[in-house]
Amino acid sequence: MAEEHARDPIELVVTSPLRRAIDTASYALGEIPPDEAPKSRLAHPLVAERRYLSSDVGTKRAELAEDYAEHTSLDMLGPDEWWWRAEAGAEAAADALRARRRDEKGTEPISPAEIFDDGLRTRLDFEPEAEFIRRMGAFRSWLVARPERRILVVAHWGVWYSLLDQKSMANCELVRCAEDALVEGDRLK
C-alpha cells in the first residue's frame, strides 16, 4: 500500500465503524510514514456490515473515541447506538418467546429457526434486506459525490458483495474499482 500511495496518494480513508474495519485500515496504512499518510479518515455508519451476527453490533461512539479519535473522525456516528436496531418491542417479544420455549423444552437451546418461525428473527436479529439495500444505495451516492479522486474504503464482505454486484471477496482483499463498478438501484443486493 505504501508504494501505491507514494505513486498516487489516497486522499480519504472511509471505514466501517466496526472496530475490525478501523483496525484493518490502520494496519493497511501502517507502512506509510505518518507525515505522508492520508490526513482524512472517517468512520461512516452507512458502510457498516449488515447486522446478521452478534459481531455486527457496534461499539458506542464514546468507547470508540477512547481508541480511535486521534486518527479517525467519528463525527458521522450518532452519540450512542449507530448500528441497525430492531423495532421497538421486538427484543422484549423475542425474550418472552425464548423464555416460553425454554419452559417447554427445559434446558435445550432455542434454535434460531424457532425464533424465525415465529416471525421475530427478522425483526430482532437481522437488518432487513430492504433496509440494507437502502443503506448501500445511500452510501454509494455519498461516495460518488465526494470531491476526492482516490478513496480507500475499508468495509465488510456483505457491503462489497452488495456494491460489487455479488462479487465475493476474500478477507482483507484489496480491490480497485471506479465509480461505474459500483452497482446501484435494482442491482443492489
Side-chain angles (χ1 to χ4, degrees), residues 161-177:
Y161 188 79
S162 177
L163 291 172
L164 295 177
D165 204 14
Q166 301 180 29
K167 177 189 182 324
S168 191
M169 295 175 59
N171 196 26
C172 296
E173 182 178 352
L174 178 64
V175 174
R176 287 182 196 87
C177 66

Side-chain angles (χ1 to χ4, degrees), residues 100-114:
R100 189 174 71 242
R101 292 278 172 83
R102 212 172 2 263
D103 290 344
E104 293 169 1
K105 296 177 74 176
T107 59
E108 275 186 59
I110 309 302
S111 76
E114 291 174 279

Side-chain angles (χ1 to χ4, degrees), residues 9-188:
I10 297 166
E11 299 169 69
L12 172 66
V13 178
V14 180
T15 71
S16 158
L18 294 175
R19 286 180 179 272
R20 62 188 185 262
I22 299 172
D23 289 341
T24 298
S26 294
Y27 179 77
L29 299 169
E31 294 180 4
I32 300 172
D35 60 326
E36 298 173 19
K39 303 299 182 238
S40 298
R41 289 175 64 170
L42 61 93
H44 199 312
L46 289 178
V47 75
E49 180 65 286
R50 179 179 179 190
R51 181 165 175 200
Y52 191 75
L53 302 169
S54 61
S55 61
D56 300 328
V57 173
T59 303
K60 292 180 180 179
R61 179 181 175 166
E63 293 173 48
L64 288 174
E66 291 175 21
D67 295 327
Y68 302 111
E70 181 180 317
H71 56 72
T72 301
S73 168
L74 305 173
D75 293 345
M76 298 191 83
L77 305 183
D80 199 17
E81 296 178 0
W82 49 263
W83 55 89
W84 180 85
R85 297 280 299 162
E87 63 188 61
E91 291 190 46
D95 287 344
L97 173 63
R98 287 184 182 109
R100 189 174 71 242
R101 292 278 172 83
R102 212 172 2 263
D103 290 344
E104 293 169 1
K105 296 177 74 176
T107 59
E108 275 186 59
I110 309 302
S111 76
E114 291 174 279
I115 301 296
F116 184 73
D117 289 345
D118 280 19
L120 291 173
R121 185 174 189 189
T122 303
R123 292 188 295 157
L124 177 64
D125 297 321
F126 298 138
E127 179 179 6
E129 182 178 27
E131 177 63 19
F132 178 71
I133 290 170
R134 182 208 60 76
R135 189 162 54 87
M136 290 302 93
F139 177 71
R140 184 196 186 283
S141 295
W142 177 87
L143 187 63
V144 300
R146 296 293 306 184
E148 296 89 355
R149 190 179 59 79
R150 295 232 330 142
I151 301 173
L152 171 65
V153 178
V154 179
H156 308 278
W157 181 89
V159 170
W160 291 119
Y161 188 79
S162 177
L163 291 172
L164 295 177
D165 204 14
Q166 301 180 29
K167 177 189 182 324
S168 191
M169 295 175 59
N171 196 26
C172 296
E173 182 178 352
L174 178 64
V175 174
R176 287 182 196 87
C177 66
E179 176 184 331
D180 60 354
L182 301 172
V183 299
E184 58 186 317
D186 293 343
R187 291 182 49 214
L188 283 167

